[in-house]
Amino acid sequence: MTLGAGRQQRIATLLRERREGVLDHWVAAVLNTVRGRTTQAELRGQLAELYELVVQAMGEEDGTAAGELSAALQELSRTRARQGFSPSETAVSVFGLKDAVLHEIEAGGGTGVVVYREFASFSKDIDDLGLLTFETYARTREQVIADQAEQLLELSTPVVKLWEGIVGVPLVGTLDSARTQVVMESLLQTLVDTGSEHAVIDITGVPAVDTEVAQHLLKTVVAARLMGAECVISGIRPQIAQTIVALGIEFGDIVTKATLADALAYALERSGVRVGAG
Amino acid sequence: MTSPAEVPITSNDDVVRVRQVVRGLAAEVKMSLVDQTKVVTAASELARNTFVYGGGGTATVELVTNPATGRTGVKIVFTDEGPGIPDVDLALTEGWSSGSGLGLGLSGTRRLVDEFDLETEPGTGTRISVTKWTR
Amino acid sequence: MERVPILKIGDTLLVSIQIDLQDQTVLALQEDLAERIVQTQARGVIIDITAVEIVDSFIGRMFATIASMSRLLDAETVVVGMRPAVAITLVELGLSLGGVRTALDLERGMKLLDSGADLR
């Protein structure tokens, strides 16, 4: 992209000659929205850099400065997204330049159709740059969300040791296919690492399951069996029991218990530990 | 390891060679251990099919990148000039297998990979292409 | 072709698979095992696959075949040390290894054979 393409000579001249005035206005407009999160000096530094690139981009032929400008804007936008700025706060950083230029045109007593026609064209270029920051902003936020989802996935699937030879996975929240798969893998690995022959999968905190998730749970139990370990599923809610039956999923000879405590008692008994009252 | 790598399948030993090449490339793109195992197992099944039913052929193993997601993966193409598969739908049916207890039909293998593409012509041969992406 | 060695410990035969199995080796192992069970009058067979990185349908079926065959010869088979990734893959593949007993590791496999009475 090139800026102006030689059709905005007056604006270009204005940007060069009234640099301080325009920049002052721009900084003031942006500072209003980002108050407290960045200092005036820092902001001025950032905007001055963009300003130089805008000026260069308007005077150039080959698009080098325009390329640098869009790279700088993307970088700014990424930083803002990560710092938690809102989309409009981020966009104002770019759009503020229009107001500042318009203000200078009017302050200079600018009349005449030509200068406003140029301004309209300039304004469109700035809009394009604004859209670019917007896209970058949205992409960055998506990345942040994806990263968080992944971290949450790791956090939400702990495999804990309940007793010597017995591990448990308390599942809480909605299970999707990806998460169930992660649980399955970490549970099986823990069986090997701890030499445990019993596992309790507790789904008390799971509000609902679909066919795919139920299948994943079944597969986990079968895979554990292939490795020489037994799984007990506990805490199946009434609605889930209904779903499983309605979906026609065979739980076959998989042991299920009402509560985690029952499941633990069962696993202890199977592993030869006697539990008595007193 | 070089990609693409072409492995001729003309004997039972070559099934093992296909497995090793696939594992090498899957490890190179840092595929998870479970996914590596799945794709190597799928390759093993298909390589054996190529040898036993297709009368031999080749496996071409290469690293690929999905332009949409930017993810990397391993793609393996098996080709033979054997008798082909007369009824593809039947061959992909759960639990179906034409040989004497060899293979689980293709349905099990298909579940181990992300993309599965089969072209066959009775009398001229079979081409099966599978891809596994990193997660 | 490599052959998988079969070790005898008491009345148990131990097969520890350390190589990438090719089909001929698998077939040879089945034959060798049948002979050794009869020869040694072994009561148990342990197949240790701790080092095995993949089990496809051919190898999986070998376990089932060995188990049925040794049962006919009055010996019980236990497969030990299957890796999680291998187990997940077998389940996905749809192979159940019906009838094959499994244990987490060699020690537990030995124990399982010792407690033998109710294995059938």
Side-chain angles (χ1 to χ4, degrees):
Chain A
M1 114 182 233
T2 54
L3 240 54
R7 288 175 287 101
Q8 299 162 10
Q9 309 238 340
R10 282 180 174 78
I11 302 273
T13 312
L14 180 139
L15 284 175
R16 272 197 309 274
E17 288 174 356
R18 312 248 279 274
R19 185 175 184 282
E20 291 311 307
V22 177
L23 200 53
D24 282 345
H25 258 95
W26 192 12
V27 172
V30 178
L31 199 61
N32 242 343
T33 61
V34 301
R35 184 150 296 158
R37 279 171 291 184
T38 176
T39 63
Q40 182 169 359
E42 191 185 356
L43 183 65
R44 197 179 174 90
Q46 285 173 350
L47 295 186
E49 192 188 321
L50 292 178
Y51 193 94
E52 280 325 305
L53 289 168
V54 170
V55 173
Q56 283 176 30
M58 288 178 80
E60 73 176 352
E61 300 285 318
D62 60 353
T64 323
E68 276 178 47
L69 176 61
S70 61
L73 278 174
Q74 289 181 39
E75 184 50 42
L76 179 74
S77 176
R78 265 195 290 272
T79 317
R80 294 271 154 96
R82 291 209 179 273
Q83 287 168 345
F85 282 69
S86 79
S88 46
E89 283 165 353
T90 306
V92 159
S93 305
V94 178
F95 293 140
L97 179 59
K98 292 202 289 190
D99 289 340
V101 169
L102 187 62
H103 185 271
E104 278 305 310
I105 291 173
E106 278 162 0
T111 49
V113 178
V114 183
V115 80
Y116 284 106
R117 198 174 286 153
E118 278 194 15
F119 179 72
S121 158
F122 173 74
S123 175
K124 198 185 151 297
D125 287 343
I126 298 297
D127 286 347
D128 287 344
L129 293 175
L131 287 178
L132 179 71
T133 61
F134 228 89
E135 268 169 33
T136 312
Y137 180 90
R139 253 201 313 276
T140 310
R141 293 295 284 199
E142 271 163 27
Q143 186 58 47
V144 169
I145 291 166
D147 290 350
Q148 286 173 344
E150 200 165 307
Q151 287 164 5
L152 209 60
L153 199 65
E154 282 163 20
L155 276 180
S156 65
T157 52
V159 180
V160 293
K161 181 173 165 181
L162 296 176
W163 202 269
E164 192 61 47
I166 305 172
V167 295
V169 214
L171 293 176
V172 177
T174 311
L175 285 179
D176 61 16
S177 184
R179 187 173 160 217
T180 317
Q181 216 163 336
V182 172
V183 177
M184 176 166 172
E185 292 176 20
S186 67
L187 172 63
L188 298 180
Q189 191 54 53
T190 312
L191 290 176
V192 177
D193 295 345
T194 61
S196 302
E197 290 182 291
H198 296 275
V200 178
I201 303 173
D202 184 69
I203 58 170
T204 311
V206 178
V209 297
D210 58 15
T211 317
E212 210 176 339
V213 169
Q215 294 287 5
H216 273 305
L217 285 176
L218 280 180
K219 284 178 189 168
T220 310
V221 177
V222 178
R225 238 176 233 177
L226 282 177
M227 293 167 51
E230 278 300 320
C231 290
V232 183
I233 297 179
S234 67
I236 299 180
R237 294 187 181 196
Q239 307 92 301
I240 294 184
Q242 282 184 23
T243 316
I244 289 173
V245 175
L247 290 172
I249 298 163
E250 276 295 331
F251 259 52
D253 53 352
I254 290 170
V255 180
T256 54
K257 293 287 165 195
T259 65
L260 178 57
D262 292 344
L264 180 60
Y266 174 84
L268 282 170
E269 191 194 317
R270 295 273 302 191
S271 59
V273 178
R274 282 169 54 93
V275 188
Chain B
M1 199 165 289
T2 49
S3 161
E6 197 164 290
V7 186
I9 303 172
T10 54
S11 76
N12 261 317
D13 296 9
D14 294 329
V15 176
V16 175
R17 280 198 47 222
V18 171
R19 292 208 290 249
Q20 286 163 350
V21 171
V22 173
R23 181 172 291 281
L25 288 182
E28 203 171 299
V29 294
K30 301 201 168 48
M31 203 174 271
S32 78
L33 191 58
V34 172
D35 285 341
Q36 278 189 36
T37 309
K38 284 183 181 174
V39 71
V40 173
T41 307
S44 184
E45 298 290 321
L46 295 172
R48 187 176 295 104
N49 280 354
T50 301
F51 175 63
V52 176
Y53 303 128
T58 48
T60 309
V61 192
E62 64 174 321
L63 295 181
V64 284
T65 305
N66 185 333
T69 62
R71 285 183 183 171
T72 48
V74 177
K75 178 180 178 178
I76 317 153
V77 181
F78 296 88
T79 46
D80 67 59
E81 292 172 0
I85 301 170
D87 188 339
V88 175
D89 290 340
L90 181 64
L92 289 171
T93 306
E94 192 65 23
W96 189 86
S97 161
S98 75
S100 48
L102 283 167
L104 279 165
L106 295 167
S107 60
T109 307
R110 180 153 71 166
R111 280 196 297 270
L112 297 178
V113 293
D114 298 316
E115 281 166 35
F116 184 100
D117 187 46
L118 179 125
E119 291 164 33
T120 183
E121 190 69 47
T124 51
T126 303
R127 179 183 185 277
I128 297 181
S129 156
V130 295
T131 308
K132 184 91 187 162
W133 300 109
T134 53
R135 270 189 252 163
Chain C
M1 184 192 76
E2 290 179 83
R3 280 186 119 80
V4 179
I6 301 170
L7 309 175
K8 181 173 172 295
I9 305 170
D11 58 1
T12 302
L13 295 180
L14 173 63
V15 180
S16 181
I17 300 172
Q18 304 287 340
I19 52 167
D20 203 344
L21 287 173
Q22 62 144 298
D23 297 359
Q24 301 304 322
T25 312
V26 168
L27 296 174
L29 176 60
Q30 278 172 210
E31 283 172 27
D32 291 354
L33 253 180
E35 258 170 51
R36 287 294 294 274
I37 293 172
V38 173
Q39 208 180 63
T40 60
Q41 297 190 328
R43 299 299 309 276
V45 175
I46 293 182
I47 306 174
D48 179 9
I49 57 168
T50 311
V52 174
E53 290 179 339
I54 85 140
V55 172
D56 63 6
S57 63
F58 195 85
I59 300 169
R61 224 166 259 132
M62 165 187 78
F63 300 149
T65 307
I66 290 176
S68 324
M69 184 187 74
S70 56
R71 200 164 295 160
L72 283 175
L73 301 172
D74 199 22
E76 202 58 45
T77 304
V78 183
V79 171
V80 305
M82 186 184 291
R83 298 181 177 194
V86 170
I88 292 171
T89 303
L90 279 180
V91 173
E92 207 67 63
L93 191 60
L95 205 69
S96 65
L97 302 191
V100 180
R101 303 196 60 95
T102 54
L104 278 183
D105 50 37
L106 186 56
E107 198 182 337
R108 288 184 173 82
M110 298 282 258
K111 242 185 244 165
L112 193 62
L113 282 180
D114 284 342
S115 69
D118 62 340
L119 279 183
R120 307 221 172 161

